[in-house]
């Protein structure tokens, strides 16, 4: 069977000008082209005249064209009226998972966020009656805009003939869930557990069984190891349940996922360091290599050959993360900040000890004096209060990250699509902080994300229900909360629980129609 080739400059339908053949296989060729009418880059997949699975591929492409989820590569045009059929698709700029793994395994929490987005996209396809059935490292890309993108929905499987033999009898939901687990396995170990040759080293085997991720790398958290194993091996978890659908897999990963690049303190200076250190341009192509199984080369449809551009797509805070890393300058800055904090703590301790031992007589009274009673919560009686727990209406398992005194871990809500008011599904949602005892507030300092403004209210009360703010007294609010925001409180209201109640969510980084709450750290000041 001959491979259909053409020359750069050839026009299809009078509008698609072929520019560069990026891959080819037995019976197909993949081109980067320009849509001259809309002046945009596109991907053109062309078939040889006698390619045996053209009908299946064209049918899959037409079905995929009905979906408009931004995480699924879009199909723009299909033509099988001539001797040689072709499919015109979105040109996806960015790195494939295969490209990213050239530097070694990814940070597990960041990888969970990336694959969770992919699983959500596949679940959208399943809801429309479509499946991928051929997910490999090249099928998942991290785009230059900062988001996950799945390519080759249905088409890869049709071209490779997947799902037409004995394996075609298996439930497509389980097939795609298992393959999503393969992607997650590869992301955290750098090894490929599936049967295809993807260019990654094969997963190690012990006694005829593939090793679990944690057996390959001790750095993989047990929670992530369990999620992968439940989906990949269809192995029941502690609750006796397997993970057998893409949505179940997405939900499980969302609990352990990092929503963005960890942000060391202070953020402003480190952001400047990151911008100065990362001057590369996002790669426009993938990794070279090809097999006859998929028109996008080794590892799947998106593994287009890599061009000379640098590796910019995952760094900084431009998108929904990047692999967490801290530069040498940042580490030095963090060390300096730690020293300053320690000196400040020592000074406060010295001042407190001296004021306790001798200051009361000079002030004219002790704890029962008039001055002490009239002092406002924002003055001498205001101290940092230590929370004992936290819960949230969304992603409650990660709520403790908001009170762990670390600006490199965070709590985030679920994704909501199309509307910053929780996708139109509800009017509000809360993060509740348990102070352990009744307190009066003077200030609540919250380190939000930096992707956009949130509308939030700070409340205090004796309810621990994060799904409603009816049991809380509002003591402060902001319609433009972003980054580190201080809420000064003058109210005399008291309660055991502090509520951060969202009424409008900020946009998800790199997305124009997805929204989520994000809190890195909360510092509560007041008196008990």
């Amino acid at each position: 069977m001959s491979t259909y080739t053409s020359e750069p400059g050839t026009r299809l339908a009078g509008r698609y000008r072929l520019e560069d053949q990026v891959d080819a296989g037995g019976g197909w060729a993949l081109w980067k082209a320009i849509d001259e009418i809309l002046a945009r880059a596109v991907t053109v997949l062309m078939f040889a005249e006698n390619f045996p699975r053209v009908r299946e591929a064209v049918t899959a492409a037409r079905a995929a064209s009905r979906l408009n989820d931004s995480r699924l590569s879009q199909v723009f045009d299909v033509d099988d009226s001539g001797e040689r059929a072709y499919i015109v698709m979105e040109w996806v700029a960015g790195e494939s998972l295969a490209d990213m793994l050239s530097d070694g395994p990814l940070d597990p929490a960041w990888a969970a966020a990336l694959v969770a987005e992919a699983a959500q996209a596949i679940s959208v396809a399943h809801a429309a009656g479509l499946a991928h059935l051929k997910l490999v490292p090249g099928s998942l890309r991290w785009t230059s805009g900062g988001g996950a993108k799945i390519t080759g929905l249905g088409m890869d499987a049709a071209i490779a003939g997947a799902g037409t033999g004995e394996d075609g009898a298996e439930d497509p939901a389980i097939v795609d869930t298992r393959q999503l687990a393969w992607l997650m396995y590869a992301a955290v170990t750098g090894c490929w557990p599936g049967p295809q040759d993807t260019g990654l080293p094969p997963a190690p085997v012990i006694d005829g069984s593939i090793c679990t991720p944690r057996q390959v790398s001790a750095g993989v958290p047990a929670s992530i190891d369990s999620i992968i194993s439940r989906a990949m091996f269809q192995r029941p978890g502690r609750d006796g349940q397997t993970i057998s659908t893409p949505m179940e897999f997405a939900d499980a990963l969302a609990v352990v996922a990092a929503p963005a690049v960890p942000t060391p303190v202070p953020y402003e200076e480190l952001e400047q360091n990151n911008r100065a250190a990362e001057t590369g341009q996002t790669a426009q192509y993938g990794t070279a290599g090809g097999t006859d199984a998929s028109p996008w080369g080794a590892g799947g449809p998106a593994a287009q050959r890599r061009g000379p551009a640098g590796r910019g797509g995952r760094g900084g805070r431009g998108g929904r993360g990047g692999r967490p890393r801290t530069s040498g300058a940042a580490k030095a800055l963090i060390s300096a900040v730690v020293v300053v904090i320690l000196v400040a703590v020592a000074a406060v301790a010295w001042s407190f000890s001296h004021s306790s031992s001798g200051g009361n007589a000079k002030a004219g009274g002790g704890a029962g004096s008039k001055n002490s009673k009239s002092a406002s919560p924002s003055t001498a009686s205001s101290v940092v209060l230590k929370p004992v727990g936290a819960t949230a209406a969304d992603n409650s398992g990660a709520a403790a990250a908001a009170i762990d005194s670390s600006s490199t871990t965070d709590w985030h809500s679920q994704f909501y699509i199309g509307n910053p008011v929780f996708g139109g599904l509800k009017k509000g949602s809360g993060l509740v902080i348990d102070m352990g005892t009744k307190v009066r507030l003077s200030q609540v300092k919250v380190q939000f994300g930096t992707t956009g403004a949130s509308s939030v209210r700070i409340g205090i009360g004796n309810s621990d229900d994060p799904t409603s703010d009816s049991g809380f007294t509002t003591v402060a609010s902001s319609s433009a909360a972003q980054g580190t925001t201080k809420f000064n409180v003058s109210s005399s209201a008291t309660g055991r629980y502090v509520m951060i109640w969202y009424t409008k969510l900020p946009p998800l980084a790199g997305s124009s129609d997805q929204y989520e709450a994000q809190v890195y750290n909360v510092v509560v000041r007041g008196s008990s």
Side-chain angles (χ1 to χ4, degrees), residues 109-154:
W110 190 89
L114 175 65
V115 179
E117 282 199 57
Q120 289 170 349
I122 294 297
S123 69
V124 170
H126 278 246
L130 305 179
H132 196 290
L133 306 179
K134 194 66 176 176
L135 288 164
V136 284
S139 307
L140 174 57
R141 300 187 76 85
W142 179 249
T143 69
S144 56
K149 183 84 72 173
I150 291 289
T151 62
L153 178 70

Side-chain angles (χ1 to χ4, degrees), residues 277-291:
E278 298 191 7
T279 58
Q281 181 181 358
T282 300
Q284 297 296 310
Y285 301 94
T287 303
T291 70

Side-chain angles (χ1 to χ4, degrees), residues 376-436:
S376 72
S378 60
T379 57
S381 61
S382 176
V383 297
V384 175
L385 304 175
K386 185 174 178 60
V388 298
T391 186
D394 286 5
N395 194 16
S396 183
I403 58 170
D404 62 0
S405 301
S406 171
S407 293
T408 61
T409 58
D410 72 292
W411 164 81
H412 63 92
S413 70
Q414 300 173 357
F415 301 104
Y416 293 87
I417 299 175
N419 186 337
V421 184
F422 300 91
L425 301 176
K426 54 186 176 181
K427 295 182 179 180
S429 186
L431 171 67
V432 173
I433 299 170
D434 182 1
M435 304 308 299

Side-chain angles (χ1 to χ4, degrees), residues 165-503:
E166 292 182 359
D167 58 335
E170 190 170 13
D171 184 351
I174 293 179
V175 173
D176 275 350
T177 303
R178 180 185 300 117
Q179 293 177 2
L180 285 163
W182 290 350
L183 296 181
M184 187 63 193
Y185 187 109
V188 297
T189 67
C191 300
W192 180 245
Q196 302 94 334
D197 180 7
T198 63
L200 296 177
V205 175
I206 296 178
D207 295 331
S209 299
I210 296 174
C211 294
T212 67
R214 197 167 171 83
Q215 287 175 313
V216 178
S217 173
V220 177
S223 57
I224 291 179
D225 180 90
S226 174
I227 292 168
I228 296 172
S229 296
R230 290 171 62 195
M232 190 171 89
F233 303 116
Q234 289 297 290
R235 180 181 299 168
R238 292 181 178 178
D239 59 359
Q241 302 296 316
T242 61
I243 296 175
S244 56
T245 69
M247 181 54 74
E248 290 175 357
F249 193 58
D251 289 344
L253 288 179
V255 175
V256 296
V261 182
T263 310
V265 177
Y267 168 72
E268 290 78 11
E269 286 119 21
L270 293 189
E271 177 69 359
Q272 293 174 4
N273 290 340
N274 286 337
R275 283 198 296 266
E278 298 191 7
T279 58
Q281 181 181 358
T282 300
Q284 297 296 310
Y285 301 94
T287 303
T291 70
D292 288 350
S294 169
W296 285 261
Q304 301 152 341
R305 67 177 172 80
R306 186 175 180 182
R311 301 175 62 84
R314 292 170 287 124
R317 291 183 55 86
R320 182 182 159 74
R323 280 196 283 164
R325 55 185 182 275
T326 306
S327 65
K331 291 177 181 177
L333 185 56
I334 292 172
S335 298
V337 171
V338 170
V339 171
V340 171
I341 291 173
L342 290 176
V343 171
V345 169
V348 170
W350 182 88
S351 176
F352 180 78
S353 64
H354 280 64
S355 65
S356 298
S357 59
N360 287 340
K362 184 179 292 187
S369 71
K370 180 178 180 180
N371 287 342
S372 174
K373 289 181 180 179
S374 63
S376 72
S378 60
T379 57
S381 61
S382 176
V383 297
V384 175
L385 304 175
K386 185 174 178 60
V388 298
T391 186
D394 286 5
N395 194 16
S396 183
I403 58 170
D404 62 0
S405 301
S406 171
S407 293
T408 61
T409 58
D410 72 292
W411 164 81
H412 63 92
S413 70
Q414 300 173 357
F415 301 104
Y416 293 87
I417 299 175
N419 186 337
V421 184
F422 300 91
L425 301 176
K426 54 186 176 181
K427 295 182 179 180
S429 186
L431 171 67
V432 173
I433 299 170
D434 182 1
M435 304 308 299
T437 188
K438 187 175 291 187
V439 299
R440 179 180 176 184
L441 302 177
S442 63
Q443 185 187 81
V444 179
K445 183 171 71 172
V446 185
Q447 185 181 351
F448 297 100
T450 59
T451 60
S454 308
S455 291
V456 298
R457 297 198 294 263
I458 304 297
I460 190 167
N462 293 303
S463 169
D464 62 353
D465 180 9
T467 65
S468 173
D469 67 339
S470 61
F472 292 83
T473 299
T474 298
V475 296
S477 64
S478 173
S479 60
Q482 183 177 8
T484 299
T485 303
K486 295 179 180 179
F487 298 87
N488 293 320
V489 179
S490 59
S491 170
S492 60
T494 61
R496 172 173 171 172
Y497 299 96
V498 177
M499 165 78 87
I500 302 174
W501 181 256
Y502 279 83
T503 56

Side-chain angles (χ1 to χ4, degrees), residues 9-12 14-20 31-44 88 91:
T10 299
R11 284 177 173 79
L12 304 174
R15 66 183 291 183
Y16 305 117
R17 187 183 75 246
L18 304 184
E19 283 202 333
D20 184 24
W31 288 80
K32 181 181 181 182
I34 297 296
D35 181 344
E36 295 184 325
I37 292 180
L38 297 178
R40 64 180 177 184
V42 294
T43 300
V44 175
V88 181
W91 176 260

